[in-house]
Amino acid sequence: MTAWIDVAAEADLFEGAGIAVAPEGQDIALFSVDGEVFAINNLCTHGNAKLCDGFVEGHNVECPFHQAQFSLRDGSVSCGPATEPVKSWPVKIEQGRVFLQLTE
Ligand code: FES
């Protein structure tokens, strides 16, 4: 069984800015780009920075601390100094709500 968790209203998301959600004790950042929603872990893998506060450029978010960039699509590192990817989470939108699949 696949568990989808309702984490936010789609209307809470704005193009080019992240928001933090905390389903089941996770710290996850949501981003809206071109009408698509992406979810990655909020904590930068390089330090104690929140990616929801980062600058969104295309399908990347730039860490507010040292400007590492992560792909919103899969959490991979697009630009250092970070070397470890952040986890990305499956997203679906249903009836204006954003759902994440938190099972591995
Ligand atoms: Fe994110 Fe250093 S804390 S790049």
Side-chain angles (χ1 to χ4, degrees):
M1 261 290 275
T2 310
W4 289 93
I5 315 268
D6 182 336
V7 294
E10 198 180 3
D12 291 341
L13 295 170
F14 294 94
E15 189 78 17
I19 65 165
V21 295
E24 299 189 352
Q26 303 277 351
D27 188 7
I28 295 174
L30 301 181
F31 298 90
S32 175
V33 178
D34 292 340
E36 218 181 327
V37 178
F38 301 91
I40 58 175
N41 273 359
N42 196 12
L43 187 65
C44 181
T45 55
H46 182 254
N48 194 23
K50 300 286 190 181
L51 296 176
C52 67
D53 299 328
F55 176 69
V56 178
E57 197 176 80
H59 283 84
N60 291 300
V61 59
E62 184 180 86
C63 176
F65 277 16
H66 314 108
Q67 287 78 50
Q69 289 188 22
F70 298 92
S71 166
L72 297 176
R73 298 182 198 274
D74 62 5
S76 60
V77 177
S78 325
C79 180
T83 54
E84 292 289 316
V86 288
K87 184 169 176 51
S88 71
W89 302 89
V91 178
K92 74 173 179 182
I93 310 293
E94 252 176 37
Q95 295 176 343
R97 302 293 307 180
V98 180
F99 292 83
L100 300 184
Q101 190 179 35
L102 292 183
T103 45
E104 291 295 314

